Amino acid sequence: MSRVRAASVALVATVLSVTTLAAATEANAAGVSYAALGDSYSAGVGSGSYTSDSGSCSRSTKAYPYLWNAAHATTSFSFVACSGAKTDDVIANQLGALNTSTTLVSITIGGNDAGFASTMQTCVLSSDSACLSAVDSAKSYATNTLPGKLANVYGQIKSKAPSAHVVVLGYPHLYKVPGSCIFGISDTKRTAINSAADTLDTVIAKQVANAGFTYKDVRSIFAEHEICGSSSQWLNSTTLPITDSYHPNSSGQAYGYLPSFSAAA
């Protein structure tokens, strides 16, 4: 075989290989049927740009599920995450988005079960001792009751979407301690609140492993971007509307949750 002919054959083979790979990649992307479940951290509360049809669920076009879907040629996208959702709400109101054709699922859940909102309210408005007591109660619930709740919802997700790759994302620390904030709650309260996130994430990670799903810890990627952090903050402090407080802002969704989910999807 001449050198010219050999080079031509090699070139054709390379082109065919690249074309086949591109076609396969496009086919794989087009074959993704994605369902985004969970609470306000998945709905995108705190990031603005809420869709008109989401009502009190406050689903945002800046939330990581919406951003991920926009960047991929998915076959279908069911965005049913909802502000305030607990594990029982996922079971009652969100599992209808799943079926045997679902190939990808994302979810954050458990924070509301453990009383995240009421604990934050106590810590912001009351004394250090009241805050520590509320945090201890939340941690006790997370340790003793939440595992069964998570096991139940994960089991039902697996039953509804047996072929799906399920990615469960955790919760970040809210505060950098000690941080740059001069005003606001004490470092005692901030440390306690972060410890509640640690307990919650530990419990979630264990149940995710038991279910055979994929867990993504977001605490490290949010480091230095917490409230009082030295870099740009990816989390809202107390703000208006009050429901946006202590949730990821648009940067937290785009630079914290989205890359974490993308790495596991």
Side-chain angles (χ1 to χ4, degrees), residues 7 107 194:
I107 185 171
N194 285 350

Side-chain angles (χ1 to χ4, degrees), residues 100-119:
T100 55
S101 297
T102 304
T103 59
L104 180 64
V105 176
S106 65
I107 185 171
T108 56
I109 201 68
N112 292 316
D113 291 76
F116 169 80
S118 61
T119 298

Side-chain angles (χ1 to χ4, degrees), residues 8-259:
S8 298
V9 171
L11 177 60
V12 170
T14 300
V15 170
L16 289 174
S17 177
V18 171
T19 303
T20 301
L21 178 60
T25 301
E26 183 176 351
N28 288 337
V32 174
S33 178
Y34 173 33
L37 317 180
D39 56 22
S40 54
Y41 273 56
S42 288
V45 173
S47 59
S49 187
Y50 305 119
T51 62
S52 59
D53 63 345
S54 63
S56 60
C57 285
S58 299
R59 288 185 282 270
S60 171
T61 61
K62 297 182 179 180
Y64 76 86
Y66 197 99
L67 296 174
W68 191 92
N69 178 69
H72 294 80
T74 57
T75 299
S76 64
F77 176 47
S78 298
F79 189 13
V80 295
C82 189
S83 176
K86 299 181 180 181
T87 51
D88 289 346
D89 297 312
V90 171
I91 292 170
N93 304 316
Q94 298 184 18
L95 295 187
L98 307 179
N99 55 57
T100 55
S101 297
T102 304
T103 59
L104 180 64
V105 176
S106 65
I107 185 171
T108 56
I109 201 68
N112 292 316
D113 291 76
F116 169 80
S118 61
T119 298
M120 286 305 305
Q121 183 176 16
T122 298
C123 288
V124 170
L125 300 177
S126 302
S127 64
D128 282 5
S129 60
C131 175
L132 295 179
S133 178
V135 167
D136 285 343
S137 295
K139 290 165 74 171
S140 176
Y141 183 95
T143 302
N144 298 307
T145 305
L146 187 59
K149 293 278 192 178
L150 293 174
N152 185 24
V153 74
Y154 296 161
Q156 296 209 37
I157 289 172
K158 184 179 293 185
S159 177
K160 293 282 187 178
S163 300
H165 174 52
V166 182
V167 180
V168 182
L169 299 103
Y171 297 93
H173 286 159
L174 290 183
Y175 294 98
K176 173 68 176 178
V177 184
S180 60
C181 295
I182 299 174
F183 303 104
I185 65 175
S186 67
D187 278 353
T188 297
K189 291 179 177 179
R190 292 168 182 157
T191 300
I193 291 166
N194 285 350
S195 75
D198 290 334
T199 298
L200 186 58
D201 285 334
T202 298
V203 169
I204 292 171
K206 182 177 181 180
Q207 294 306 313
V208 169
N210 290 345
F213 295 164
T214 299
Y215 176 70
K216 291 301 294 182
D217 190 332
V218 300
R219 286 172 292 182
S220 62
I221 197 170
F222 271 84
E224 301 300 333
H225 297 283
E226 309 97 330
I227 301 168
C228 304
S230 59
S231 299
S232 60
Q233 293 185 11
W234 292 354
L235 293 148
N236 296 316
S237 185
T238 305
T239 189
L240 292 176
I242 196 66
T243 50
D244 284 2
S245 301
Y246 313 113
H247 286 83
N249 56 29
S250 57
S251 294
Q253 289 288 337
Y255 305 128
Y257 272 98
L258 178 61

